[in-house]
Amino acid sequence: AAGVIQSPRHLIKEKRETATLKCYPIPRHDTVYWYQQGPGQDPQFLISFYEKMQSDKGSIPDRFSAQQFSDYHSELNMSSLELGDSALYFCASSFLAGVPYEQYFGPGTRLTVT
Amino acid sequence: GQQVMQIPQYQHVQEGEDFTTYCNSSTTLSNIQWYKQRPGGHPVFLIQLVKSGEVKKQKRLTFQFGEAKKNSSLHITATQTTDVGTYFCAGSGGYSTLTFGKGTMLLVSP
């Protein structure tokens, strides 16, 4: 079965640089979520999109932005990177009309800011 | 905002022993989900509970949702080394956004 695809899997950036993370949800899923997970931490919700519209916003810094495109893939844009942005970034997708509407997580992008 | 507390943070058991992790929310939840994350992996959905007092079983795993829909537990009977990982509860007060607990890391020694 198709899973959530994230690219790149690993990314190394320097402070003040920008980064773009991509997410391709499971086909026919209508909702995409972005999470940030620090070492030994729980996933922190950043932002979500339902049918290409922002549906909810969590602890996403103003330096970050995200969008969902017409083909349902989503991108998380991160600017003015800081050392503290180093983390695992997960994208998850779900089908809200389904029950239960569990979230399927991608393998994550490990971002290291040096 | 909604807070989800989970205890213990960490538990180390011998294979064959039982394990339980507890989850408490500061607010009433519409549903609670449980996820397992293996070391180096991503969270994988285990189950969702929506009804007050609900109990669901998956082989050796038993999940409960409290009567007040503010707490939940996951119990594993006779742990195996394959159970190793971090177990997260995640609550939703609304439609889809989840608030994750801090997780319980389970280590199982053979």
Side-chain angles (χ1 to χ4, degrees):
Chain A
V4 176
I5 298 171
Q6 288 187 249
S7 67
R9 294 292 307 277
H10 302 272
L11 191 57
I12 300 175
K13 291 285 186 178
E14 294 188 354
K15 281 195 309 183
R16 293 179 289 277
E17 284 192 320
T18 61
T20 297
L21 279 52
K22 296 185 178 183
C23 169
Y24 297 86
I26 292 172
R28 292 186 297 282
H29 277 194
D30 53 21
T31 307
V32 167
Y33 312 81
W34 285 98
Y35 292 90
Q36 177 191 60
Q37 187 177 35
Q41 301 296 314
D42 56 295
Q44 290 290 313
F45 170 71
L46 294 178
I47 195 166
S48 63
F49 294 87
Y50 171 69
E51 286 291 343
K52 294 161 280 186
M53 299 287 289
Q54 182 181 309
S55 56
D56 205 354
K57 201 170 182 180
S59 52
I60 185 168
D62 291 341
R63 299 177 289 107
F64 295 5
S65 65
Q67 56 183 321
Q68 188 176 27
F69 295 85
S70 58
D71 64 351
Y72 288 89
H73 94 272
S74 178
E75 295 184 2
L76 178 64
N77 299 292
M78 311 160 73
S79 62
S80 302
L81 287 169
E82 302 173 356
L83 295 178
D85 296 328
S86 294
L88 200 50
Y89 289 84
F90 287 110
C91 169
S93 73
S94 68
F95 180 55
L96 282 194
V99 178
Y101 34 83
E102 70 264 33
Q103 296 184 16
Y104 292 83
F105 282 73
T109 294
R110 184 170 298 281
L111 172 66
T112 303
V113 181
T114 62
Chain B
Q2 183 178 83
Q3 291 187 341
V4 177
M5 288 73 71
Q6 194 173 349
I7 57 168
Q9 276 189 293
Y10 170 88
Q11 188 151 9
H12 188 179
V13 300
Q14 293 291 315
E15 192 172 24
E17 292 182 335
D18 292 355
F19 159 78
T20 305
T21 173
Y22 300 90
C23 188
N24 282 284
S25 169
S26 58
T27 58
T28 302
L29 301 169
S30 62
N31 71 84
I32 194 157
Q33 300 182 13
W34 286 90
Y35 290 79
K36 177 184 178 181
Q37 185 174 20
R38 293 181 186 274
H42 59 275
V44 175
F45 174 81
L46 294 177
I47 209 160
Q48 177 178 271
L49 305 169
V50 296
K51 297 177 184 175
S52 170
E54 189 170 15
V55 178
K56 286 188 176 180
K57 292 191 175 184
Q58 288 180 349
K59 298 183 179 178
R60 294 177 295 104
L61 278 61
T62 301
F63 304 84
Q64 292 188 323
F65 200 10
E67 293 290 341
K69 300 183 74 173
K70 295 181 73 172
N71 62 287
S72 181
S73 65
L74 157 59
H75 179 81
I76 302 179
T77 303
T79 53
Q80 300 175 357
T81 54
T82 53
D83 295 327
V84 164
T86 299
Y87 292 84
F88 291 100
C89 63
S92 174
Y95 197 38
S96 65
T97 299
L98 294 174
T99 300
F100 279 77
K102 295 296 182 189
T104 296
M105 182 186 295
L106 173 62
L107 282 182
V108 181
S109 294

